């Protein structure tokens, strides 16, 4: 059987770190097993789903390198859901119910008040045909519920959580279709998983109870349930996923200079027993992917750690991979020198501006003589041999200066700034001629 996974976002918003992680795990598992990775757009909610979000989801997945092998949309499959409901109705596994939201709410409150679980009492199953006729005559339309089989416990072996056990009598028969005929998520998802041959459902642990219900739907529709893997949720470094972090999407990551490879390397491994490593390509992640390494504790996502991982990935990027994002005149050699100093590719532009100039040559009155001496030294040292070190050492000996009084005037004269990239690699790029010229101009 071809391993088939699916990522099923509702196109009602942008992807964020939480669902990007789910998408990634589905993709990694399919790639590892040479299977299929499906993008399924859960767009049954016509009001909240938009084409803009559909396109953004596609673009975000493409940026991450998680290309789906197939794409499906629930809005194109309503006839399949109609057929499935009809089948369940015929076999007595779906029934109409007429309670209003207020009536249901009241029932729940009464049960909770008596200290009982708020399970739907199945009153609708006892409606006589004439009662139904009266309700319909009043203009009431039914919603539809799936009738759980209370005969046996629902059990499955979750690939992350291990053996799972639910007593169906403690669960409400789920509503599968609203009275306005719109679909809730539960049945369409099951029908799609059957039709698309999904073998592994990988999703967040907030879906565990849904799985118990859906397992009975698979069975009622005559299909073996797929394997399930429910991953622990993502939390921020302070313990819960802050609003900001929860909404952090691809755009925000890109703006923060995060490479897609860094996000992928991080999200693939956090919450697992495998170390987070700076992989610039997904192959090692595919290779090592294993549900058995997933922990049950929430996975911690920390933006600072991601930034640090990002730096380690930037340091591996080839010139050809970043060329389009560098200043046009910046060549391969410059990239090689600058790369180890960057936390994000975009920082290269700042370096390059300092290298290329023009810079504002400046030295305070008290530093002019020192900077003039620096120009003389710079003109004579061997530029092929660590020129910054040679310059600083010689000047330290001659002037007796050290620390800030030694380095700051040099930085100001050479770059026009008080802070910035490390001077040693920078000086190599600025070159001897330019360096001498800048020091002289500042001393003048
Ligand atoms: N649209 C559902 C969600 O985003 C899909 C859940 C599933 O993977 O079945 O929660």
């Amino acid at each position: 059987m071809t391993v088939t996974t699916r990522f099923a976002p509702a196109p009602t918003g942008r992807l964020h770190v939480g669902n990007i992680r789910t998408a990634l795990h589905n993709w990694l598992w399919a790639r590892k097993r040479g299977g299929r990775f499906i993008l399924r757009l859960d767009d049954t909610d016509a009001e909240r789903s938009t084409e803009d979000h559909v396109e953004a989801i596609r673009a975000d997945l493409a940026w991450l390198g998680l290309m789906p092998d197939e794409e499906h949309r629930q809005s194109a499959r309503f006839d399949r859901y109609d057929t499935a409901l009809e089948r369940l109705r015929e076999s007595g596994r779906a029934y109409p119910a007429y309670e209003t939201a207020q009536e249901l709410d009241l029932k729940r409150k009464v049960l909770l008040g008596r200290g009982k679980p708020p399970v739907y009492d199945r009153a609708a199953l006892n409606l006589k045909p004439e009662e139904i006729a009266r309700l319909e005559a009043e203009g009431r339309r039914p919603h539809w519920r799936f009738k759980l089989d209370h005969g046996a416990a629902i059990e499955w072996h979750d690939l992350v959580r291990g053996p799972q056990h639910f007593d169906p009598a403690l669960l409400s028969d789920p509503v599968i279709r609203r009275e306005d005929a719109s679909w809730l998520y539960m049945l369409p998802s099951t029908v799609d998983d059957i039709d698309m041959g999904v073998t592994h459902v990988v999703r967040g642990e907030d879906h565990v109870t849904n799985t118990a219900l859906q397992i009975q739907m698979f069975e009622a529709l005559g299909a073996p349930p797929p394997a399930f893997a429910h991953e622990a949720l993502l939390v921020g470094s302070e313990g819960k996923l802050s609003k900001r972090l929860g909404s952090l999407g691809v755009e925000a990551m890109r703006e923060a200079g995060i490479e897609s490879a860094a996000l992928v390397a991080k999200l693939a491994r956090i919450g697992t027993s495998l170390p987070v490593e700076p992989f610039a390509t997904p192959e090692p992640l595919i290779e090592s992917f294993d549900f058995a390494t997933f922990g049950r504790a929430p996975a911690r996502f920390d933006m600072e750690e991601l930034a640090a991982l990002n730096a380690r990935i930037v340091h591996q990027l080839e010139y050809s991979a970043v060329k389009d994002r560098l200043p046009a005149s910046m060549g391969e050699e410059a990239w090689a020198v600058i790369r180890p100093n960057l936390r994000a590719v975009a920082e290269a532009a700042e370096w390059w501006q300092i290298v290329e100039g023009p810079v504002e040559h400046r030295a305070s009155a008290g530093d002019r003589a020192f900077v003039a001496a620096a120009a003389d030294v710079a003109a004579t040292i061997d530029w092929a041999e660590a020129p910054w070190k040679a310059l600083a050492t010689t000047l330290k000996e001659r002037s007796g200066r050290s620390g800030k009084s030694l380095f700051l005037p040099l930085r100001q004269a050479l770059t026009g700034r008080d802070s910035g990239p490390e001077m040693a690699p920078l000086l190599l790029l600025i070159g001897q001629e330019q360096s001498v010229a800048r020091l002289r101009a500042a001393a003048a």
Side-chain angles (χ1 to χ4, degrees), residues 6 8-10 40 42 185 189 193 201-203 206-207 214:
R6 86 294 195 279
R40 186 186 85 199
D42 284 4
Y185 147 82
S189 179
D193 287 340
V201 170
V202 182
R203 58 190 178 190
D206 48 328
H207 282 286
Q214 288 176 328

Side-chain angles (χ1 to χ4, degrees), residues 241-254:
L241 202 60
S242 66
K243 215 165 170 199
R244 209 184 92 73
L245 189 59
S247 63
L248 269 190
V250 159
E251 227 167 28
M253 293 293 166
R254 224 178 311 181

Side-chain angles (χ1 to χ4, degrees), residues 68-367:
D69 302 305
E70 283 172 32
E71 182 185 301
H72 298 278
R73 308 177 71 125
Q74 292 195 321
S75 58
R77 296 176 41 78
F78 289 135
D79 58 332
R80 295 295 301 149
Y81 313 146
D82 288 334
T83 307
L85 178 56
E86 189 53 29
R87 186 167 164 191
L88 294 176
R89 205 184 58 77
E90 275 165 12
S91 59
R93 296 301 298 275
Y95 59 94
Y98 291 85
E99 292 95 341
T100 62
Q102 290 86 334
E103 284 164 352
L104 290 171
D105 199 41
L106 190 62
K107 285 187 191 207
R108 262 195 301 272
K109 284 192 177 130
V110 169
L111 286 169
L112 286 170
R114 291 200 208 125
K116 296 211 168 123
V119 177
Y120 176 59
D121 61 9
R122 294 184 157 176
L125 276 177
N126 301 322
L127 287 174
K128 303 202 173 63
E130 55 274 20
E131 286 174 304
I132 291 184
R134 183 176 50 76
L135 288 164
E136 295 269 346
E138 277 174 15
R140 289 229 206 168
R141 290 286 161 267
H143 53 273
W144 288 82
R145 287 189 187 260
F146 175 72
K147 190 178 170 214
L148 290 167
D149 175 3
H150 289 183
I154 304 168
E155 292 179 324
W156 77 94
H157 189 95
D158 196 278
L159 295 174
V160 175
R161 297 164 63 84
Q164 301 293 296
H165 179 104
F166 278 83
D167 178 354
L170 297 178
L171 300 170
S172 294
D173 289 339
V175 176
I176 49 184
R177 193 174 204 176
R178 298 187 190 87
E179 60 188 33
D180 66 1
S182 64
W183 294 99
L184 280 109
Y185 147 82
M186 297 290 293
L187 183 65
S189 179
T190 308
V191 171
D192 293 346
D193 287 340
I194 296 171
D195 286 355
M196 294 164 201
V198 170
T199 59
H200 294 78
V201 170
V202 182
R203 58 190 178 190
E205 67 182 10
D206 48 328
H207 282 286
V208 168
T209 309
N210 288 342
T211 295
L213 304 168
Q214 288 176 328
I215 281 179
Q216 284 212 351
M217 290 184 192
F218 279 102
E219 286 160 356
L221 292 168
F228 290 93
H230 291 93
E231 46 192 21
L233 300 181
L234 207 57
V235 294
S237 43
E238 319 80 25
K240 65 179 204 299
L241 202 60
S242 66
K243 215 165 170 199
R244 209 184 92 73
L245 189 59
S247 63
L248 269 190
V250 159
E251 227 167 28
M253 293 293 166
R254 224 178 311 181
E255 266 165 34
I258 300 296
E259 300 294 312
S260 59
L263 193 56
V264 163
K266 181 85 183 158
L267 292 177
R269 292 270 180 98
I270 47 170
T272 77
S273 58
L274 299 170
V276 173
E277 292 177 78
F279 294 123
T281 60
E283 282 73 24
L285 297 167
I286 295 171
E287 174 86 17
S288 60
F289 185 84
D290 183 353
F291 290 113
T293 64
F294 282 53
R296 300 266 320 250
R300 283 178 184 274
F301 181 84
D302 183 290
M303 205 50 207
E304 269 312 303
E305 284 172 17
L306 177 63
L309 181 73
N310 192 61
R312 294 172 68 194
I313 284 178
V314 168
H315 302 165
Q316 302 170 47
L317 296 175
E318 297 296 337
Y319 177 66
S320 58
V322 293
K323 200 165 150 263
D324 297 345
R325 292 188 279 154
L326 299 178
S329 56
M330 194 175 150
E332 187 157 7
E333 210 175 305
W335 171 247
V337 174
I338 287 177
R339 187 174 73 165
N341 303 283
L342 303 179
R343 280 172 64 86
V345 173
E347 288 172 7
E350 187 195 345
W351 284 69
W352 197 238
Q353 197 283 318
I354 296 171
V355 171
E356 289 257 276
V359 300
E360 178 204 342
H361 316 287
R362 64 191 173 97
S364 57
D367 289 330

